[in-house]
Each structure stands twice: as C-alpha cells, then as structure tokens.
Amino acid sequence: MIKLTFCLVRRPEFTREAFQAYWHDHHAPLVASVREPLRIRRYVQLHSLPAEASAALRVARQGPEGFDGVAQLWWDSLQDVLGNSHPDAQEAGRKLLEDERKFIDLERSPLWWGEEKVIFG
C-alpha cells in the first residue's frame, strides 16, 4: 500500500473547532465524491485534541507545536497515483486543491508519500 500523509495546519481565520468541522463536514464528502477517479482506497482524518491535552507531552519531548489534524489516504500502488492522467482524475485533484486552499495553510502543512509497513495490528 502507498500512503499519503498530510499534516494539516489551519488558516489563521479558523479556530481549531471551525477548521475541524469544515474539514469533516465539507471536505471529507468532497474527497469521497472523487475517490473513484483518483483510485483512493481509504481516507482517514485524525483530529487533534485541544492543545492543552498534549502540552505536557510536547514539553517533555521538547517537540514543536502540533497540527490541527492529519489526513491519511491509501492507494494500492504508486502507479495508481502517478499513472492516473485521466481528465476526470485531473479535475478531481483540482477540486480538492481548490477546497484545501480555503481552510488549510498549505505552506505550513507538510505532506509526503510513503509505503506502509505494518508492524502489528
């Protein structure tokens, strides 16, 4: 499995709660609507808890500020991702990016491709 991991930081005009509501209630259905042309097998959202819930952990580990959420998307293969040049897939990708620009601070939100290695579970 190939996985896209996207660590999300909200745009400054959003509270964490408003960001997470938009992400879940508006963006998630949009992703679901384009899953077939993009060949997405699975999509999961991990919503952060309030910052104070992780404050002691962050301080103990001397870690950076957290993210507002993490999106994970799975594909069967890298070919399914990179080899998908069908116009429907290109339009679907354009729609997703257009919506992401509305609520995600893209410059502060890293994302990367990885190959999942299940250790247990």
Side-chain angles (χ1 to χ4, degrees):
M1 300 293 294
I2 298 298
K3 184 187 286 188
L4 176 68
T5 301
F6 192 2
C7 299
L8 307 177
V9 175
R10 69 183 181 265
R11 288 176 51 104
E13 64 268 25
F14 282 85
T15 63
R16 185 182 57 80
E17 295 79 11
F19 166 85
Q20 291 177 346
Y22 184 93
W23 183 29
H24 183 268
D25 299 338
H26 180 79
H27 192 71
L30 180 61
V31 175
S33 77
V34 298
R35 73 180 291 185
E36 288 187 25
L38 291 176
R39 301 178 185 167
I40 301 169
R41 293 269 283 161
R42 185 172 186 210
Y43 173 50
V44 174
Q45 293 181 347
L46 176 61
H47 291 232
S48 67
L49 296 176
E52 56 271 12
S54 300
L57 179 61
R58 186 177 62 78
V59 169
R61 295 180 148 259
Q62 300 176 356
E65 292 296 319
F67 298 105
D68 296 297
V70 174
Q72 296 180 314
L73 297 94
W74 284 257
W75 283 263
D76 287 328
S77 69
L78 194 55
Q79 183 60 33
D80 277 347
V81 177
L82 301 178
N84 196 355
S85 61
H86 190 277
D88 289 347
Q90 292 176 350
E91 176 62 16
R94 187 197 61 73
K95 281 183 183 178
L96 292 179
L97 181 57
E98 181 180 302
D99 191 55
E100 289 165 359
R101 286 182 174 132
K102 294 177 183 176
F103 70 106
I104 301 170
D105 183 341
L106 293 173
E107 291 183 4
R108 296 178 53 219
S109 299
L111 68 162
W112 66 92
W113 295 108
E115 185 174 5
E116 187 171 84
K117 305 286 187 185
V118 177
I119 306 306
F120 62 85

